[in-house]
């Protein structure tokens, strides 16, 4: 019978460990609960008294908690190893992804700036040629010269500061294409990212109106509402059309930009004309500071990842509070095991102390075990709470001598000393060893079998307890040192890779800029020269030629360099979002993100659908928000669970994926 029970126990442990390694945290908890219930039922069937059955349940729960935590730790290590392997493979293609990201950024910049100016030049020159009015021709020539000079500077690589809402006023005032404009702005301020996106909406709408509805009356509104900012541009439709001046990517790229700010964009026919409408979330408080997500990039080396924008939010409580899925589960498992080995064992038949003493010792056992939950975060207070039970026993208030109680529960202090060594300065660890030695030695010295000079005995026993406790702390020091060295090596490797990729980005930007100077810049110079000679037809021809060249350049820039998908890195994430035309909003600072977590963020975004995705980089981890179909949600659940994180679902397929650091 004993061998049968032993095999049943081993089978249950193997089953629980396998569930923890292969299954999700919820499935593992269900398996553990089932095994504890089965052990309790077996004890009751065998005729054990209720207190013994309770002892079996506690002991099985404590052992199950440790097995569960070990399996979950193995699952996280396996996930980390696989992610690191994927990241190492991706490093060979990281330069390719960075080059793609640079080209996509420059394509957006060129479309938003140079295409807008060249279109205005072409439409203005074409309209002036059709009207026999000298003043209009002179105005068109003057505007062509000024706009071509600005376009040339932009094509040559000059950068301007990100525009704010006030820049929209200047944009509308300088618009030289025929047709009346009614403009109204009630929004006084907005965050830099939203202001830049609103500027882009108005600029793209003006450019499209010039291409497809020349002579139409325009109505432009930038309005502030309760918690929102709305940008709307409408035209009444016009007879003149210059559709051949388009580049074909304006509205799609604009939708991505608006979605990256958390907004929505609609564009379509409206009562004979066309309306473009963008709605942005606008907090009522002071506008957050930070770099804008769109518009011209600053001078200097191009960044190798997405630009962090906006303030860092607080993580949602349902996700950040899911401690039982993450690394803190091990602390909880240790606390559960400590309760089980003390309270549970005392309730088993033949246990020591006797079950009748449970009411006295039970609270002390709980007080002694629960501080393991804070063993890393509050080690000093945790150790003090553990040691506080021994003075109670020394005073004779317990049926068990203090020395016996210490020997029974000493391993809990050893677990705390290990945490001191692994996570905290050595000075604190040495003090903790001394404290355990003094309290433990005193508890043993006050035992009933001790005779002679108890002070001398206390000194000897304290030294012995401290000496025997030191290996637990030393093991923590070794593990913590190895972890620190591994992190330092990863940081150095990451910094080296970032430097190499920054060089790749800089070289790609310089290569593209050089190509632009050799092609499209010549057309801008031709516009300036034609405007200086007063030749409207030459201005129009040069502007059209420049737009044709720009269209070909944009097609080349948007063409991926590699045949495969982007690698699972932050640079690859930027390329993935651009190819899907999805707006990914990055909040907070992604600097120092571990390689395995970088892979996890990429894979989470890869599973999401829709145009709006938010990635928030928090001190405790990364929160990825978006929408996902049912099958994708199952994969996201497994992904988050492998990282020790969590998945929360909401209405309309909304999901939030929490990946702890």
């Amino acid at each position: 019978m004993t061998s049968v029970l032993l095999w049943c126990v081993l089978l249950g442990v193997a089953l629980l460990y396998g569930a923890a390694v292969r299954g999700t945290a919820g499935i593992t908890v269900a398996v553990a609960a089932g095994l504890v219930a089965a052990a309790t039922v077996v004890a009751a069937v065998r005729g054990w008294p209720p207190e013994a059955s309770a002892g079996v349940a506690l002991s099985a729960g404590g052992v199950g908690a440790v097995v569960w935590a070990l399996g979950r730790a193995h699952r996280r290590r396996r996930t980390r190893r696989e992610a690191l392997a994927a990241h190492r493979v991706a490093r060979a293609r990281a330069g390719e992804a960075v080059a793609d990201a640079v080209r996509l950024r420059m394509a957006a910049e060129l479309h938003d700036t140079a295409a807008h100016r060249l279109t205005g030049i072409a439409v203005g020159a074409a309209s002036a040629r059709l009207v026999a009015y000298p003043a209009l021709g002179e105005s068109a020539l003057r505007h062509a010269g000024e706009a071509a000079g600005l376009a040339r500077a932009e094509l040559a690589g000059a950068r301007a500061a990100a525009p704010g809402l006030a820049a929209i006023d200047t944009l509308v005032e300088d618009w030289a294409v025929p047709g009346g404009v009614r403009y109204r702005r009630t929004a006084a301020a907005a965050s830099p990212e939203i202001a830049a996106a609103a500027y882009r909406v108005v600029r793209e709408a003006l450019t499209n109106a010039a291409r497809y509805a020349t002579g139409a009356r325009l109505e432009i509104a930038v309005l502030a509402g309760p918690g929102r900012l709305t940008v709307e541009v409408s035209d009444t439709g016009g007879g003149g059309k210059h559709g051949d001046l388009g580049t074909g990517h304006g509205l799609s790229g604009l939708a991505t930009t608006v979605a990256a700010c958390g907004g929505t964009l609609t564009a379509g026919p409206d009562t004979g004309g066309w309306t473009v409408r963008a709605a942005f979330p606008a907090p009522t408080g002071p506008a957050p500071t930070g770099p804008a997500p769109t518009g011209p990039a600053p001078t200097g080396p191009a960044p190798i990842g997405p630009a962090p924008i906006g303030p860092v939010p607080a993580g949602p409580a349902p996700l950040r509070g899911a401690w039982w899925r993450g690394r803190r589960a091990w602390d909880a498992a240790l606390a559960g095991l400590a309760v089980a080995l003390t309270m549970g064992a005392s309730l088993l038949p033949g246990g020591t102390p006797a079950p009748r003493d449970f009411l006295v010792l039970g609270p002390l056992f709980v007080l002694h075990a629960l501080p393991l939950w804070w063993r890393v975060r509050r080690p000093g207070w945790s150790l003090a709470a553990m040691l506080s039970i021994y003075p109670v026993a020394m005073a004779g208030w317990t049926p068990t001598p203090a020395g016996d109680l210490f020997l029974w529960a000493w391993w809990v202090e050893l677990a705390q000393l290990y945490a001191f060594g692994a996570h905290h300065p050595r000075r604190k660890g040495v003090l903790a060893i001394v404290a355990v030695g003094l309290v433990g030695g005193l508890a043993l010295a006050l035992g009933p079998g001790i005779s002679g000079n108890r002070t001398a005995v206390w000194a000897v026993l304290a030294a012995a307890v401290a000496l025997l406790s030191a290996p637990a702390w030393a093991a923590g020091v070794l593990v913590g040192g190895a972890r620190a060295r591994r992190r330092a090596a990863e940081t150095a490797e990451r910094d080296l890779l970032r430097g190499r990729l920054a060089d790749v980005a800089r070289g790609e930007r310089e290569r593209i800029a050089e190509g632009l100077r050799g092609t499209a810049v010549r057309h801008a110079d031709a516009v300036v020269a034609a405007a200086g000679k007063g030749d409207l037809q030459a201005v129009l021809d040069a502007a059209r030629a420049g737009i044709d060249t720009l269209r070909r350049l944009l097609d080349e820039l948007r063409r991926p360099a590699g045949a495969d998908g982007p690698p699972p890195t932050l640079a690859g994430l930027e390329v993935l979002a651009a190819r899907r035309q999805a707006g990914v909003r990055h909040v907070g600072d992604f600097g120092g993100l571990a390689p395995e977590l970088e892979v996890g963020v990429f894979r989470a975004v890869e599973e999401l659908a829709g145009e709006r995705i938010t990635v928030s980089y928090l001190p405790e981890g990364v929160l990825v928000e978006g929408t996902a179909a049912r099958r994708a949600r199952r994969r996201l659940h497994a992904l988050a669970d492998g990282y020790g994180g969590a998945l929360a679902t909401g209405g309309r397929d909304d999901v939030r994926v929490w990946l702890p650091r």
Side-chain angles (χ1 to χ4, degrees), residues 311-389:
V312 178
L319 295 181
R320 297 177 68 183
W323 57 266
W324 58 280
R325 297 176 182 268
R327 300 178 185 276
R328 288 169 61 187
W330 177 245
D331 296 336
L334 278 179
L337 180 64
V339 173
L341 290 183
T342 51
M343 294 179 61
S346 68
L347 294 174
L348 295 176
T352 302
R356 64 179 177 273
D357 300 328
F358 178 78
L359 293 178
V360 178
L361 294 176
L364 292 181
F365 288 155
V366 173
L367 178 62
H368 186 254
L370 287 184
L372 283 174
W373 170 253
W374 295 277
R375 69 190 187 102
V376 175
R377 290 164 290 156
R378 296 288 187 271
W381 289 104
S382 176
L383 182 61
M386 293 175 186
L387 298 178
S388 66
I389 71 168

Side-chain angles (χ1 to χ4, degrees), residues 492-504:
E493 188 176 9
R494 183 171 60 245
D495 292 342
L496 182 63
L497 178 63
R498 287 179 64 87
R500 182 172 66 84
L501 295 182
D503 293 338
V504 171

